[in-house]
Amino acid sequence: MTRLTIKEISKLANVSVSTVSRVLNDKSDVNEETKRKVLRIIDQYGYIPNSNAKHLKQICSNIICIIVKGMQNMFLEPIVEEMQSQINKTKYISLIYFIDENESEVDVAYRLITEKKPVGIIFLGGSPSLKADMYKDMEVPCIFATMSAEGMNLDNVSSVCIDDKAAAKKAVDYLFEMGHRDIAILGGRLLDKDSIFKRFMGAMESYREHGEEFNEKLFIQSKFTYDEAYAAVDRSLQPDQPKYTAIFAMSDIMAIGAAKAIFENGQSVPDDISIIGFDGIALTQYYNPTLATIKQPSVDIAHKSVDLLIQNIENKKTAHNIVLGTELIKGESIKCMLCR
Amino acid sequence: MTRLTIKEISKLANVSVSTVSRVLNDKSDVNEETKRKVLRIIDQYGYIPNSNAKHLKQICSNIICIIVKGMQNMFLEPIVEEMQSQINKTKYISLIYFIDENESEVDVAYRLITEKKPVGIIFLGGSPSLKADMYKDMEVPCIFATMSAEGMNLDNVSSVCIDDKAAAKKAVDYLFEMGHRDIAILGGRLLDKDSIFKRFMGAMESYREHGEEFNEKLFIQSKFTYDEAYAAVDRSLQPDQPKYTAIFAMSDIMAIGAAKAIFENGQSVPDDISIIGFDGIALTQYYNPTLATIKQPSVDIAHKSVDLLIQNIENKKTAHNIVLGTELIKGESIKCMLCR
DNA sequence: ATGAAAGCGCTAACAA
DNA sequence: TTGTTAGCGCTTTCAT
């Protein structure tokens, strides 16, 4: 298998390489007829331009890179797909990279900038709070999707996310409304400033507003996986641990892990313990019992991210942080303690 | 932000570009001391080679590409991750591409071959049964993971998969053993030769062996999503449709969609209808009730695929089709009709 | 063991 | 509107 080059195509079409290049890049200054001729040859021989050569030379492309942190994240995947389809409706081209939880998105971004010369980058997932100046150095318009860039004060970085604190508060408020008083919080490690921390603060605020004191032992820490949530909740169900009648889980996956622990301890969801999740993945509606959750506006996040990025690319507009609302989805996983 | 080039590094290190290039590619014929010096400069200035330029010139790399069909596939994701970690233990480098359900993996492979010059390609998911000669043209060792290359007779294409027919038969056999007689089959479109078809044939064989006739109306067709499975099963539960006491679903996701339809019709899993899934994703153990399933050996598929590919790359061994066994995982989703 | 120099396939001035 | 040509940053002969 040996592929054709632009030179060979140009010979075949009886034009110069630059003319072929112009056709390839849809430049305006090329005769309609010549264009058609070249296009025909290209099609006929199944020519595909070598993108290495293209990007090696080209200063600026119409590529938008999406860097997704976490491959196995059911919440992010629909967002990626929506972003991709949005971008594909425009003149821009989307390029998606999945990176590992412990890879640095900034490093990947840097590599991508030299390799693909993108005009914009969307960072989806993760929590790149630190290393602010590295983003500035990139000089490429960036969007943080699902995480805030507030306070970073970089004029090439915008963000589209939810108000994590308010959303978490909404979840816990709902549990209080349903008559629960001992509400456990199932979440990740509390690091200053990130979403997890904000969600925790939201829960605390709800506790405060309802005049209840939070027993610190009711914070159950775990990673965002079924297994870890299961194990952590299982431990919290031991006789020596404080009792609770409801759990606010910081992700739906965690909520499902928690539910299994509850079942295996011979208890029922929601009769013994109610659960509310977070994110609003499709599975919540297919789980048994259906899982109450705080639904993040995935589609909106995707659309707003793409729109904002393109605006920033084209108008060189200044950075902007968009905060979107969440929706409380009720479900069978919550029992009302007040209803007789 | 402006990145260093090999030329600048060479100046900084007081050597020629070719020497830097040699160091970069770990060639043997370079003085240890020179090498250290260059490496130090590279590290100090955080130099990253431009991969476009590299691949533009380079004939052969140590890159293995993994082309994954279907981004939102909970069954494939752990396999990808395992492959990646396996490859990273060797001298090879993994490059992962997620493609859409309706993109052509062959086209992507072709593009990748010119762009990245991979020494091998793994195709994960999908069903590239047709277009056999296009694979031959690639001349690069390929592995089909989770689908068979049997009968394609290409000496650069090997495969690692399960025996879909036997696995499906095992599932339906189990339902028969549990005393079920009217077993519905929930699957995708039946296209000659692909996994779905083989699974269907396996189910038919089980029916035959158990001396039962299969009522064609018990084949419930749907795509491999919660929604579609839910809708299809919901329709099959209408009063005018034939009754059944068990479902064999061709994927765990379908099984969960089916379960919801059953719940919403006021019936129980497994008291009214038993369900067995396929694939063995983690969720089956976290679902309520736990879902019986046919577990594909994901880790093994990943390992064998990588091993076989590397063997083929290094020894130019002839193609080989590996068939791995599956495991029946029992679960609460199945009721024994014989036990009193 | 190292350097000089010729491209890899393409884009983007610059000329025509 | 089209052609000519000089690189983009790297690898790889071929000298030395």
Side-chain angles (χ1 to χ4, degrees):
Chain A
M1 192 202 72
T2 173
R3 308 191 71 68
L4 294 179
T5 69
I6 197 173
K7 204 167 160 187
E8 295 165 305
I9 293 293
S10 72
K11 288 234 177 68
L12 254 15
N14 270 314
V15 294
S16 72
V17 283
S18 33
T19 300
V20 178
S21 175
R22 284 183 187 105
V23 172
L24 249 22
N25 293 284
D26 213 27
K27 304 277 183 190
S28 52
D29 55 349
V30 52
N31 185 295
E32 263 305 319
E33 202 170 326
T34 320
K35 186 169 171 175
R36 264 198 301 280
K37 182 173 61 183
V38 172
L39 248 18
R40 220 187 19 167
I41 299 282
I42 286 177
D43 188 57
Q44 184 178 336
Y45 288 85
Y47 164 73
I48 302 172
N50 181 317
S51 95
N52 290 312
K54 182 182 173 84
H55 295 305
L56 180 56
K57 180 71 190 187
Q58 203 169 240
I59 301 271
C60 157
S61 67
N62 56 341
I63 290 176
I64 291 176
C65 288
I66 304 178
I67 300 177
V68 188
K69 192 145 191 176
M71 177 151 61
Q72 294 204 37
N73 191 323
M74 296 167 77
F75 166 59
L76 298 181
E77 281 159 12
I79 301 184
V80 183
E81 296 207 335
E82 190 61 35
M83 285 179 172
Q84 186 172 26
S85 94
Q86 277 305 104
I87 292 172
N88 291 345
K89 284 182 193 160
T90 68
K91 66 169 179 175
Y92 297 96
I93 293 169
S94 60
L95 233 43
I96 302 176
Y97 292 84
F98 284 82
I99 67 171
D100 205 64
E101 209 58 64
N102 33 39
E103 270 182 280
S104 155
E105 49 268 75
V106 192
D107 290 351
V108 174
Y110 267 78
R111 190 166 48 71
L112 252 32
I113 289 175
T114 55
E115 282 181 24
K116 300 297 179 185
K117 313 244 167 48
V119 289
I121 303 179
I122 298 178
F123 293 88
L124 179 55
S127 51
S129 33
L130 323 159
K131 45 207 163 164
D133 41 345
M134 300 202 63
Y135 287 98
K136 188 169 55 201
D137 278 358
M138 299 196 307
E139 292 166 7
V140 174
C142 295
I143 302 282
F144 288 177
T146 76
M147 54 205 172
S148 178
E150 203 101 46
M152 291 186 71
N153 241 315
L154 302 177
D155 49 63
N156 64 323
V157 180
S158 299
S159 64
V160 177
C161 61
I162 59 164
D163 181 339
D164 280 287
K165 185 174 170 190
K169 178 169 180 303
K170 193 190 295 187
V172 180
D173 279 350
Y174 179 60
L175 293 173
F176 272 115
E177 266 170 47
M178 292 290 109
H180 295 275
R181 285 296 167 269
D182 300 304
I183 300 168
I185 298 169
L186 176 57
R189 243 155 59 79
L190 262 28
L191 296 169
D192 199 25
K193 296 281 170 204
D194 74 350
S195 314
I196 297 172
F197 183 75
K198 289 181 195 154
R199 290 178 197 176
F200 181 75
M201 293 312 284
M204 289 305 95
E205 188 161 311
S206 176
Y207 254 95
R208 211 174 307 122
E209 277 190 13
H210 289 84
E212 296 284 329
E213 188 126 351
F214 180 68
N215 176 348
E216 286 191 3
K217 285 200 148 188
L218 287 183
F219 179 68
I220 307 170
Q221 191 188 299
S222 138
K223 291 195 183 137
F224 285 70
T225 62
Y226 296 121
D227 308 29
E228 302 246 0
Y230 165 77
V233 171
D234 188 57
R235 278 192 301 277
S236 80
L237 253 19
Q238 298 310 308
D240 59 322
Q241 296 296 311
K243 301 280 171 278
Y244 49 85
T245 65
I247 300 181
F248 160 53
M250 291 196 192
S251 86
D252 294 326
I253 296 295
M254 280 179 154
I256 288 169
K260 184 186 167 90
I262 293 167
F263 298 143
E264 295 215 337
N265 275 270
Q267 297 189 273
S268 151
V269 176
D271 288 338
D272 299 305
I273 299 181
S274 294
I275 304 185
I276 186 165
F278 201 101
D279 286 345
I281 60 177
L283 179 58
T284 57
Q285 300 316 300
Y286 285 93
Y287 190 71
N288 176 36
T290 59
L291 201 63
T293 189
I294 299 293
K295 185 169 167 45
Q296 296 207 44
S298 329
V299 174
D300 227 29
I301 291 175
H303 288 195
K304 292 277 197 313
S305 298
V306 172
D307 289 352
L308 187 56
L309 181 60
I310 292 178
Q311 268 180 39
N312 289 350
I313 292 167
E314 296 180 352
N315 309 332
K316 299 274 168 216
K317 272 182 66 167
T318 175
H320 191 46
N321 299 308
I322 296 182
V323 177
L324 299 171
T326 54
E327 188 188 354
L328 171 69
I329 309 282
K330 300 180 181 182
E332 300 157 359
S333 65
I334 293 193
K335 177 185 174 187
C336 177
M337 310 290 276
L338 308 171
C339 317
R340 70 246 86 98
Chain B
M1 194 202 70
T2 171
R3 306 191 73 68
L4 294 180
T5 69
I6 197 172
K7 203 167 159 187
E8 294 165 305
I9 293 293
S10 73
K11 288 235 178 68
L12 254 13
N14 270 314
V15 293
S16 73
V17 283
S18 24
T19 301
V20 178
S21 175
R22 283 180 188 108
V23 172
L24 249 23
N25 293 284
D26 213 25
K27 303 277 184 192
S28 53
D29 55 349
V30 52
N31 185 295
E32 264 305 320
E33 202 171 326
T34 320
K35 185 169 171 176
R36 264 198 301 280
K37 182 173 62 182
V38 172
L39 247 19
R40 217 179 20 133
I41 299 282
I42 286 177
D43 188 59
Q44 184 179 335
Y45 289 85
Y47 164 72
I48 302 172
N50 181 318
S51 95
N52 289 313
K54 183 182 176 83
H55 296 306
L56 179 56
K57 182 70 190 192
Q58 203 170 244
I59 301 275
C60 159
S61 68
N62 56 342
I63 290 175
I64 291 177
C65 288
I66 305 177
I67 300 177
V68 188
K69 193 146 190 174
M71 178 150 61
Q72 294 204 37
N73 190 324
M74 295 167 78
F75 166 59
L76 298 181
E77 281 160 12
I79 301 184
V80 184
E81 296 208 335
E82 191 59 37
M83 285 179 171
Q84 187 172 27
S85 95
Q86 277 304 104
I87 292 172
N88 290 346
K89 284 181 192 161
T90 69
K91 65 168 179 176
Y92 297 97
I93 293 167
S94 61
L95 234 43
I96 301 176
Y97 291 84
F98 284 81
I99 67 171
D100 207 63
E101 209 58 64
N102 34 38
E103 270 180 279
S104 155
E105 49 268 74
V106 192
D107 290 351
V108 174
Y110 268 77
R111 190 165 49 71
L112 252 32
I113 287 174
T114 56
E115 282 182 23
K116 300 298 178 185
K117 317 246 165 48
V119 289
I121 304 178
I122 298 177
F123 295 87
L124 178 55
S127 51
S129 34
L130 323 159
K131 41 203 165 166
D133 43 344
M134 300 202 63
Y135 287 97
K136 190 170 55 203
D137 279 359
M138 299 196 307
E139 292 165 9
V140 174
C142 295
I143 301 282
F144 288 178
T146 75
M147 53 203 172
S148 179
E150 203 102 44
M152 291 186 72
N153 239 315
L154 302 177
D155 48 64
N156 64 323
V157 180
S158 300
S159 64
V160 177
C161 62
I162 58 164
D163 181 340
D164 280 287
K165 186 173 169 189
K169 179 170 178 303
K170 191 190 298 189
V172 180
D173 279 351
Y174 180 59
L175 293 173
F176 273 114
E177 267 170 47
M178 292 290 109
H180 294 274
R181 285 295 166 270
D182 300 304
I183 301 168
I185 297 169
L186 176 58
R189 243 155 58 79
L190 263 29
L191 296 169
D192 199 25
K193 296 281 171 204
D194 74 349
S195 315
I196 298 171
F197 183 75
K198 289 180 195 156
R199 292 178 196 176
F200 181 75
M201 293 312 284
M204 289 304 97
E205 189 160 309
S206 176
Y207 254 95
R208 213 174 306 120
E209 277 191 11
H210 289 85
E212 296 285 330
E213 188 127 353
F214 180 69
N215 175 350
E216 286 191 3
K217 285 200 147 188
L218 287 184
F219 179 68
I220 307 169
Q221 191 188 298
S222 138
K223 291 197 184 137
F224 285 70
T225 62
Y226 296 121
D227 307 27
E228 301 246 359
Y230 165 77
V233 171
D234 187 58
R235 278 193 301 276
S236 79
L237 254 17
Q238 298 310 306
D240 59 324
Q241 296 296 310
K243 298 282 173 277
Y244 49 85
T245 65
I247 300 180
F248 161 53
M250 290 196 193
S251 86
D252 293 326
I253 297 295
M254 280 178 153
I256 288 169
K260 185 186 167 88
I262 293 168
F263 299 142
E264 295 214 337
N265 275 269
Q267 298 190 274
S268 152
V269 175
D271 289 337
D272 298 304
I273 298 181
S274 294
I275 304 183
I276 187 166
F278 201 100
D279 286 345
I281 61 176
L283 179 59
T284 56
Q285 300 316 301
Y286 286 93
Y287 190 69
N288 177 37
T290 60
L291 202 64
T293 188
I294 298 292
K295 184 169 169 46
Q296 298 208 43
S298 330
V299 174
D300 227 29
I301 291 176
H303 289 195
K304 291 276 197 311
S305 298
V306 172
D307 289 352
L308 187 56
L309 181 59
I310 292 179
Q311 267 181 40
N312 289 351
I313 291 168
E314 295 179 355
N315 309 332
K316 299 273 168 216
K317 274 182 64 167
T318 175
H320 189 48
N321 299 310
I322 295 181
V323 178
L324 299 172
T326 54
E327 187 188 354
L328 171 69
I329 308 281
K330 300 180 179 181
E332 301 158 358
S333 64
I334 294 194
K335 177 187 176 185
C336 176
M337 310 290 276
L338 308 171
C339 317
R340 73 242 86 99

